[in-house]
Amino acid sequence: MAQRLVCRECHRVLDVDEGGQCPVCGSNSLTEDWAGYVVIAHPESSEIASEMGVTEPGKYALKVR
């Protein structure tokens, strides 16, 4: 499995080959220390996306340290 990084700002799960910047929020604050995983396909109708403040479809970590 490829190494995954998570943005500390928006919790987006990124593949290492996506570079050192989050494509969603533009943050450079990435970490390997995270837990839980959720895939949000339709953020406009998702209660989880609403709770997390997610507006873009994608893979997100539930807990980021």
Side-chain angles (χ1 to χ4, degrees):
M1 177 182 252
Q3 179 184 9
R4 304 219 187 239
L5 296 173
V6 171
C7 175
R8 284 189 173 106
E9 301 301 318
C10 71
H11 292 205
R12 178 75 173 241
V13 177
L14 310 169
D15 290 322
V16 170
D17 61 339
E18 289 184 83
Q21 189 172 13
C22 177
V24 175
C25 71
S27 173
N28 292 328
S29 182
L30 307 177
T31 183
E32 295 177 9
D33 193 8
W34 58 278
Y37 187 80
V38 64
V39 177
I40 298 174
H42 303 285
E44 64 281 350
S45 60
S46 168
E47 289 183 35
I48 293 172
S50 178
E51 276 293 317
M52 293 178 68
V54 170
T55 59
E56 295 289 324
K59 301 173 270 187
Y60 293 88
L62 296 173
K63 183 174 184 180
V64 179
R65 293 178 212 99

